[in-house]
């Protein structure tokens, strides 16, 4: 079976659809969207994501929803003649005890971190789908693995968010409430990252400083830690000419400022 490409949209005519406009788990709707818009370049960043607790609590949703989203978008992009697709994976695809820094060759070389293996398996399936379409049909689909992402527009849910936005919310609210203590309960592809890492303790202290909170931190060691280290080898990325430009401290400052501004605009209660 061969697929004949149709004339794609011009590169500068970007097309997006928010969740209310297009349910990416609805394969017929996704196919209709691609048939109408015919994008030339597809950036596949959509996914059901969350922190350790969310992954461990909703394993079926994290597996099924991500498989549905990936299958619908990637196959529609190929079917409707996209020139290229970039699939955004995750460094959780690597084994829990992968050699540090983690190289791309570590994929499928060991057991995954149990608390987020459902999400990891879905992302690995997405990578393999891209590779299969390239091998069988010559579809130009590439996969990149970002490290922990954060910044303005992040999910600051008190339970289901990732560690960094959860820490920002916790320490901003602790500072505003005048609290003296806080308890922490969290915790051929291309790696995308800085090539450096920080411990949860170091990150927590940096978020405290950015949020302006000076109380005592209490650590709950009964909760799962997740993968011990996720330092990525970014030599492939560096060879392509890309390096990180925003230091973590500055990124944290910008994110805290955005979080506070959003709360101000929404009358003190951030919509989740």
């Amino acid at each position: 079976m061969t697929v004949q490409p149709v004339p794609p949209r011009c590169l500068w005519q970007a097309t997006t659809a928010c969740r209310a406009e297009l349910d990416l788990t609805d394969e017929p709707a996704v196919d209709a969207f691609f048939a109408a818009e015919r994008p030339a370049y597809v950036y596949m960043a959509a996914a059901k994501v969350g922190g350790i607790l969310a992954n461990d609590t909703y394993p079926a949703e994290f597996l099924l929803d991500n498989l549905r989203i990936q299958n619908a978008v990637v196959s529609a992009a190929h079917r409707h003649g996209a020139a290229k697709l970039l699939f955004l994976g995750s460094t959780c695809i690597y084994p829990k005890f992968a050699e540090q820094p983690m190289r791309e060759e570590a994929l499928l070389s060991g057991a995954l971190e149990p608390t987020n293996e459902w999400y990891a398996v879905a992302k690995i399936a997405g990578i393999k789908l891209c590779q299969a379409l390239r091998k069988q049909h010559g579809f130009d689909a590439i996969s990149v693995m970002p490290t922990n992402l954060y910044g303005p527009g992040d999910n600051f849910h008190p339970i289901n968010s990732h560690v960094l936005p959860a820490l920002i919310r916790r320490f901003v609210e602790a500072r505003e409430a005048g609290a003296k203590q806080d308890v922490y309960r969290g915790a051929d592809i291309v790696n995308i990252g800085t090539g450096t890492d920080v411990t949860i303790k170091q990150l927590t202290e940096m978020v405290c400083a950015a949020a302006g909170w000076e109380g005592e931190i209490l650590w709950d060691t009964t909760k799962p830690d997740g993968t011990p280290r996720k330092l990525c080898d970014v030599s492939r990325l560096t060879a392509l000419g890309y390096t990180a430009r925003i230091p973590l401290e500055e990124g944290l400052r910008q994110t805290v400022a955005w979080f506070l501004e959003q709360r101000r605009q929404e009358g003190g209660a951030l919509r989740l």
Side-chain angles (χ1 to χ4, degrees), residues 6-112:
V6 294
R9 268 181 177 262
C10 296
L11 175 61
W12 57 85
Q13 293 178 308
T15 301
T16 60
C18 69
R19 188 179 303 175
E21 298 170 322
L22 179 62
D23 179 1
L24 294 181
T25 65
D26 184 343
E27 189 164 359
V30 172
D31 189 73
F33 176 84
F34 273 81
E37 299 295 341
R38 294 181 293 110
Y41 299 93
V42 179
Y43 299 86
M44 176 55 190
K48 180 177 181 63
V49 300
I52 288 178
L53 180 61
N55 274 268
D56 205 33
T57 304
Y58 307 108
E61 284 88 342
F62 273 84
L63 180 59
L64 286 172
D65 286 356
N66 283 298
L67 288 173
R68 288 167 178 151
I69 291 169
Q70 295 163 187
N71 291 346
V73 173
V74 176
S75 60
H78 166 246
R79 191 161 48 248
H80 294 288
K84 189 162 191 170
L85 177 140
L86 182 146
F87 175 74
L88 207 65
S90 168
T91 53
C92 73
I93 65 166
Y94 295 123
K96 178 174 182 175
F97 297 109
E99 182 180 351
Q100 303 292 313
M102 298 183 295
R103 296 178 56 83
E104 290 86 349
E105 291 84 357
L107 177 63
L108 297 177
S109 64
L112 300 167

Side-chain angles (χ1 to χ4, degrees), residues 236-254:
R236 287 187 184 177
L237 182 69
T238 303
L240 293 172
Y242 295 93
T243 56
R245 293 178 295 175
I246 302 177
L248 180 55
E249 292 86 349
E250 174 60 18
L252 289 175
R253 187 194 65 77
Q254 294 180 14

